[in-house]
Amino acid sequence: MGEYPVYDDGVYDAFDVRDERFRAYSEAIAGAAAGRVVLDIGTGRDALWAVAAARAGAAHVYAVERQPDAAAQARRTVSGLGGRVTVIEGLSTAVDLPTRAGVCVSEIVGNIASAEGAVTVLADARQRLCTTDCLWIPFRVQTWAAAVSLPAGGRLLASESLPYVEKVFAAVGRPFDLRLCLGGPAADLVISSAAPVESLVFDHRRPPPDADGTATARLTVDVDSARMTGLLLWSRIAVSSAASSREIDSLTGDTRGWAPVYVPLDPTEIRSGDHLEVTFHRRTSDDGIHPDYHVSVLAPSVEEPLVWSSPHHGGVFHESALHRELFPS
Ligand SMILES: C[S@@+](CC[C@H](N)C(=O)[O-])C[C@H]1O[C@@H](n2cnc3c(N)ncnc32)[C@H](O)[C@@H]1O
């Protein structure tokens, strides 16, 4: 959902939960904000990180939010903080600040880490809105991949997701094979080793991550034999570079902020010790912010690579058997 402007109270309520995501961000902000100008990109309805930064003694906080209703509510939320937080409505890529920020906080990390546009949005902030020695929260986001076997049957769209599916189709202008996340204990379905296919580090001492990129990963099957039905892609978030900071793993972690993306592939028999070569392409889409993805997988039992394409602005509808099953009409 985060790729599309479909946030509502139900989503913002989920972000308010005092979970691993909340604790990691709160600790990182408490350690970085004092005395500095802070930019909070995508402050959301409750301006969580802007309030945390002001309470931690930030010199000033600029909180930018693209959704007008959320920006208006955020402005009400920060009104009791003595003018130390300025809420700016708009896309961060289209606003200017009166002064550059020394800390940039954002939580525009997708279920595929780059999917909400973090690479392009934070590159723009680095160039125009932040100081050259800016501290970045989060510090590193990654996408990991592993092979999975999803049992046939019993697969349903979660009923609470249906209004958002409609909104995503409306945002794109038509139905398409949208990215799907697995609920439930997805880690139990994994049948191979796991490896990163994206690793995006935000650090003033290094060049910014490239907007477009290709990575390959080698996975080793670690069950006797199985029917591989697809891959899981999930994010890992190192909120701060401090040694004490724990990395959030969205596959196993205690957070509702993210869920693993299921990549359906043509089912393929695989055996223990087989190597799978995963190639992951990220390319900025036609909106200049959100990436399109293309994944291909080579397995010993297939001659042609198994492929998955997931453009940001849709692509086709009903191409995958899973989408035909879940969206019968
Ligand atoms: C995942 S929510 C996070 C909200 C809050 N910061 C938190 O972590 O709970 C992402 C928010 O960023 C906003 N957003 C995404 N990209 C943005 C951008 N480039 N400029 C301003 N707002 C953005 C969305 O509308 C949404 O409110």
Side-chain angles (χ1 to χ4, degrees), residues 7 12 15 21 42-44 48-49 65-66 90-92 107-108:
Y7 291 94
Y12 288 123
F15 293 140
R21 184 191 85 104
T43 199
L48 296 177
W49 315 143
E65 173 53 50
R66 65 180 291 184
L91 269 176
S92 62
E107 202 283 70
I108 49 172

Side-chain angles (χ1 to χ4, degrees), residues 82-98:
R84 280 180 295 144
V85 181
T86 306
V87 175
I88 304 172
E89 180 191 314
L91 269 176
S92 62
T93 47
V95 305
D96 293 315
L97 298 184

Side-chain angles (χ1 to χ4, degrees), residues 2 4-7 11-12 14-16 21-22 25 40-50 63-68 70-71 88-95 105-109 116-117 121-122 257-258 289-290:
Y4 306 95
V6 301
Y7 291 94
V11 182
Y12 288 123
F15 293 140
D16 285 348
R21 184 191 85 104
F22 186 92
Y25 269 83
D40 178 16
I41 296 181
T43 199
R45 179 193 69 182
D46 298 317
L48 296 177
W49 315 143
V64 185
E65 173 53 50
R66 65 180 291 184
Q67 283 206 185
I88 304 172
E89 180 191 314
L91 269 176
S92 62
T93 47
V95 305
V105 187
S106 63
E107 202 283 70
I108 49 172
V109 183
E116 295 183 19
V121 167
L122 298 185
W258 299 278
I289 292 182
H290 300 95

Side-chain angles (χ1 to χ4, degrees), residues 25-322:
Y25 269 83
S26 303
E27 277 167 27
I29 292 163
R36 295 195 169 104
V37 174
V38 176
L39 166 64
D40 178 16
I41 296 181
T43 199
R45 179 193 69 182
D46 298 317
L48 296 177
W49 315 143
V51 171
R55 291 205 175 123
H60 195 79
V61 185
Y62 295 99
V64 185
E65 173 53 50
R66 65 180 291 184
Q67 283 206 185
D69 49 346
Q73 179 59 42
R75 199 167 283 127
R76 284 192 284 278
T77 301
V78 303
S79 61
L81 292 167
R84 280 180 295 144
V85 181
T86 306
V87 175
I88 304 172
E89 180 191 314
L91 269 176
S92 62
T93 47
V95 305
D96 293 315
L97 298 184
T99 178
R100 286 180 178 254
V103 178
C104 180
V105 187
S106 63
E107 202 283 70
I108 49 172
V109 183
N111 298 313
I112 297 173
S114 57
E116 295 183 19
V119 174
T120 44
V121 167
L122 298 185
D124 169 74
R126 176 171 172 151
Q127 211 183 355
R128 296 187 312 108
L129 305 175
C130 298
T131 59
T132 49
D133 60 351
C134 182
L135 297 174
W136 298 87
I137 299 173
F139 168 73
R140 185 185 68 204
V141 299
Q142 295 181 319
T143 302
W144 282 63
V148 282
S149 181
L150 184 65
R155 304 185 291 204
L156 291 171
L157 275 178
S159 56
E160 65 267 29
S161 72
L162 293 176
Y164 302 106
V165 169
E166 296 292 342
K167 286 187 198 175
V168 171
F169 287 166
V172 169
R174 61 196 162 76
F176 64 98
D177 284 0
L178 78 180
R179 295 171 202 145
L180 298 168
C181 290
L182 285 185
D188 296 352
L189 305 176
V190 170
I191 54 173
S192 75
S193 60
V197 290
E198 278 192 317
S199 189
L200 311 169
V201 178
F202 306 105
D203 180 348
H204 68 274
R205 292 161 299 190
R206 304 190 196 192
D210 291 329
D212 298 346
T214 298
T216 55
R218 196 161 123 123
L219 309 178
T220 306
V221 175
D222 56 15
V223 293
D224 284 348
S225 66
R227 189 173 160 81
M228 174 176 72
T229 63
L231 295 182
L232 279 191
L233 298 175
W234 71 95
S235 11
R236 286 172 68 158
I237 302 101
V239 175
S240 121
S241 62
S244 58
S245 161
R246 246 182 331 133
E247 191 166 29
I248 304 169
D249 186 320
S250 68
L251 187 61
T252 53
D254 156 37
T255 177
R256 286 187 61 203
W258 299 278
V261 173
Y262 177 66
V263 173
L265 298 171
D266 288 341
T268 305
E269 299 301 327
I270 52 176
R271 285 198 266 163
S272 176
D274 280 357
H275 294 302
L276 307 168
E277 192 178 296
V278 177
T279 306
F280 177 93
H281 299 276
R282 177 183 70 247
R283 187 172 294 276
T284 308
S285 75
D286 51 2
D287 73 4
I289 292 182
H290 300 95
D292 295 336
Y293 299 102
H294 184 83
V295 171
S296 64
V297 181
L298 279 170
S301 50
V302 290
E303 288 183 359
E304 296 291 314
L306 307 164
V307 293
W308 176 73
S309 283
S310 181
H312 174 67
H313 280 131
V316 287
F317 189 37
H318 279 163
E319 181 164 303
S320 100
L322 182 62

